């Protein structure tokens, strides 16, 4: 270790001697040419303007003015030459871990050219130099594949975003992909050289500014990007609209760029080369096509707050979430960024903007299948075809919750047994049988239940089935109502009215668990508060924050009324003494209880004893600990 440190110190001293001998010790930063050459074609390679008086092997301090703008119309950075300076220490290592004999060792890439600079966002490190990416210097790696240098830049020349910038290093050595990595000072940046070819992309909107929230995809040259052609490479378009993209081998490819609100553009025959500097491609997007209309049910009533998806006709039978990633529908085919604008308003109107011109199908979300499985258009619809009227046979339950005076009351739209909402009231809708008992008392899916303008909750249901609609409250008795959905009625109105608020009525449940010998057990116990009428689980031990110990009472704030309590040993901790599968929840006990307003209701439940004196979970725990 000492020998290595001495060797590095000797190299550093020798480098300083050469630096001062060459006349750089007190020499000011050389003046730079103001008019750097601009590549006439933005898809051509671009080189830095040389710094006067500096050899290729010398460390250089380059300003942003050395770098040509990537396209006409972009602001050209300007840098002054006076005033205080700011130092940026770069520690870069270039190479790969490879197997040498029986061991893996780091193999450096010696003499490789690396671009060093500052970038606003790490995702744009591989993109072109622009107003949010400043290139400071280009240096070659030493015999150990390293670059250790501190670059000084006048503070007056730095843009406002360089408060705590990301420092980037990008490999610009011919014959390699233009790999780029970022880090914060003084951390080291590791570059891994690899095969492949790269380009630098800048995506601009109609106003010439950068666009965000999109994707760039590379296809075979001449391939149709909407016909299920596999994607060779995909990159996200970040906030600054700049990024780099690398393909496995040099060649000519098609580049498809799509962004929210601005549609898409297919750039044909883009050259990916291993020329050191990646070719710069500037893509300018316009507004794109649009498809819009109104969604109604068979009775002609508008369907509000329903999610829709717009799909290219080539994917007429697709289900979005089941498509493999390499043939996934581009983002502009989802009405923006995966359907963000494809939700109907109160009048049932919808609009898909930013579409690439072509033919599409419109699909509707189905709560039954859990995807966009309902196609609304029999024939493909062309962009700009005018307003559509689409019909969806959707049964909906419109629920209104009123207080004791008949006024609308704030209610959380999706009651879960492991959480008590801050509103104090929560709605639940569950499918039930003919007797009004819920079919899946513990299913409780997290559903999106939008609220209409008048306070109604709109819940998609299935015609010909029955449902229990209820409200659980902290300080009012629970309310439940059984509703039958007629196959011919696409809109069913339900109103639930709560009683007057009452005093707090805490419920405490203590559970006793003993074996046949009378010893207390330390198994994890589950307690549930169940609706006596429907069997729906309303609260359970998961509603407590943190761990619930067996000797603590289960306490919950719940409205007065009649409930059923269930207690049993947790499934995860009960195991048989043989090699058989774990036992199901054991020792189940149920009891009905009346919770009285203004009083603390305390209930003690004793589980069925475990046979054979089954040992406790923790042998070191006291057998008869006080509860």
């Amino acid at each position: 270790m000492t020998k290595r440190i001495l060797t590095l110190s000797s190299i550093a001293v020798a480098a300083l001697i050469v630096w001062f001998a060459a006349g750089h010790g007190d020499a000011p930063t050389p003046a730079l040419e103001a008019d750097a050459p601009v590549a006439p074609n933005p898809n051509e390679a671009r080189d830095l303007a040389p710094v006067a008086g500096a050899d290729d092997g010398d460390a250089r301090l380059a300003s942003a003015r050395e770098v040509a703008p990537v396209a006409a119309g972009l602001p050209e950075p300007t840098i002054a030459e006076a005033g205080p300076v700011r130092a940026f220490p770069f520690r870069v290592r270039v190479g790969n871990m490879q197997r040498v004999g029986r061991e893996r060792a780091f193999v450096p890439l010696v003499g490789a050219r690396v671009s060093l600079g500052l970038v606003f966002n790490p995702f744009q490190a591989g993109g072109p130099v622009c107003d949010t990416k400043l290139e400071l210097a280009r240096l070659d790696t030493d015999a150990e594949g390293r670059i250790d240098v501190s670059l000084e830049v006048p503070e007056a020349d730095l843009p406002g975003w360089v408060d705590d910038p990301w420092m980037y290093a990008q490999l610009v050595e011919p014959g390699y992909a233009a790999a780029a990595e970022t880090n914060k000072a003084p951390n080291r940046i590791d570059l891994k050289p690899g095969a492949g070819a790269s380009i630098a992309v800048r995506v601009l909107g109609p106003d010439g500014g950068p666009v965000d929230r999109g994707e760039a995809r590379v296809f075979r040259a001449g391939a149709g990007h909407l016909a299920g052609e596999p994607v060779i490479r995909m990159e996200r378009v970040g906030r600054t609209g700049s990024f780099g993209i690398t393909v496995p081998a040099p060649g000519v490819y098609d580049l498809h760029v799509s962004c929210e609100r601005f549609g898409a553009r297919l750039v044909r025959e883009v050259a990916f080369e291993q020329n050191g500097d990646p070719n710069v491609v500037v893509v300018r997007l316009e507004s794109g096509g649009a498809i819009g209309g109104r969604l109604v049910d068979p009775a002609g009533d508008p369907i509000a707050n329903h999610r829709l998806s717009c799909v290219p006709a080539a994917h007429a039978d697709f289900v979005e979430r089941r498509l493999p990633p390499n043939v996934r529908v581009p983002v502009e085919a989802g009405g923006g960024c995966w359907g963000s604008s494809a939700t109907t308003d109160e009048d049932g109107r919808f609009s898909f903007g930013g579409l690439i011109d072509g033919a599409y199908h419109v699909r509707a979300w189905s709560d039954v299948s859990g995807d966009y499985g309902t196609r609304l258009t029999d024939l493909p619809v062309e962009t700009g075809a005018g307003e559509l009227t689409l019909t969806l046979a959707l049964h909906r339950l419109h629920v209104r919750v009123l207080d004791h005076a008949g006024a609308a009351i704030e209610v959380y739209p999706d009651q879960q047994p492991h959480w008590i909402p801050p509103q104090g009231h929560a709605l639940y809708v569950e499918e039930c049988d003919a007797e009004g008992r819920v079919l899946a008392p513990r299913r409780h899916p997290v559903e999106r239940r939008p609220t209409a303008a008048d306070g109604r909750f709109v819940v998609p249901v299935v015609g010909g089935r029955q449902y229990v609609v209820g409200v659980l409250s902290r300080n009012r008795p629970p309310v439940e109502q059984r509703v039958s959905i007629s196959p011919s009625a696409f809109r069913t109105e339900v109103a639930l009215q709560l009683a007057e608020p009452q005093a707090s009525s805490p419920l405490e449940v203590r559970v006793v668990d003993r074996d046949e010998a009378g010893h207390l057990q330390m198994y994890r116990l589950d307690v549930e508060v169940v609706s006596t009428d429907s069997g729906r689980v309303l609260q359970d031990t998961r509603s407590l924050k943190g761990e619930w110990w067996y000797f603590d009472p289960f306490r919950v704030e719940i409205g007065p009324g009649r409930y059923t309590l269930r207690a049993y040993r947790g499934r995860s901790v009960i195991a048989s003494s043989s090699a058989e599968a774990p036992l199901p929840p054991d020792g189940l006990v149920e009891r009905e209880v009346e919770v009285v307003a203004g009083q603390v209701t305390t209930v003690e439940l004793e589980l069925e004893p475990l046979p054979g004196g089954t040992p406790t979970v923790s042998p070191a725990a006291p057998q008869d600990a006080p509860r």
Side-chain angles (χ1 to χ4, degrees), residues 225-228 311-318 323 327-330 361 363:
H225 70 288
L226 292 181
V311 187
H315 295 292
D317 298 320
F318 102 109
L323 271 183
V327 294
R328 194 156 51 93
V329 178
H361 281 290
R363 287 181 169 272

Side-chain angles (χ1 to χ4, degrees), residues 231-257:
V231 177
I232 297 175
R233 190 73 74 204
M234 184 194 76
E235 289 289 342
R236 297 285 182 181
V237 178
R239 289 189 299 170
T240 58
S242 329
F243 58 95
I245 190 167
T246 299
V247 295
V252 176
Y253 300 85
D254 287 350
L255 177 66
H256 180 262
V257 180

Side-chain angles (χ1 to χ4, degrees), residues 41 63 168 179 229 253 266 296 309 318 324 467 481 486 533 559 588:
N41 183 353
S63 67
Y168 80 87
E229 173 70 19
Y253 300 85
L266 184 64
V296 298
S309 176
F318 102 109
Y467 294 83
Q481 182 176 337
S486 171
D533 295 331
L588 175 65

Side-chain angles (χ1 to χ4, degrees), residues 546-568:
E547 185 75 16
W548 177 65
W549 296 98
Y550 77 102
F551 47 79
D552 290 334
F554 169 59
R555 183 185 177 98
V556 62
E557 295 284 342
I558 199 167
R562 192 159 191 82
Y563 303 91
T564 298
L565 300 179
R566 292 164 46 95
Y568 52 88

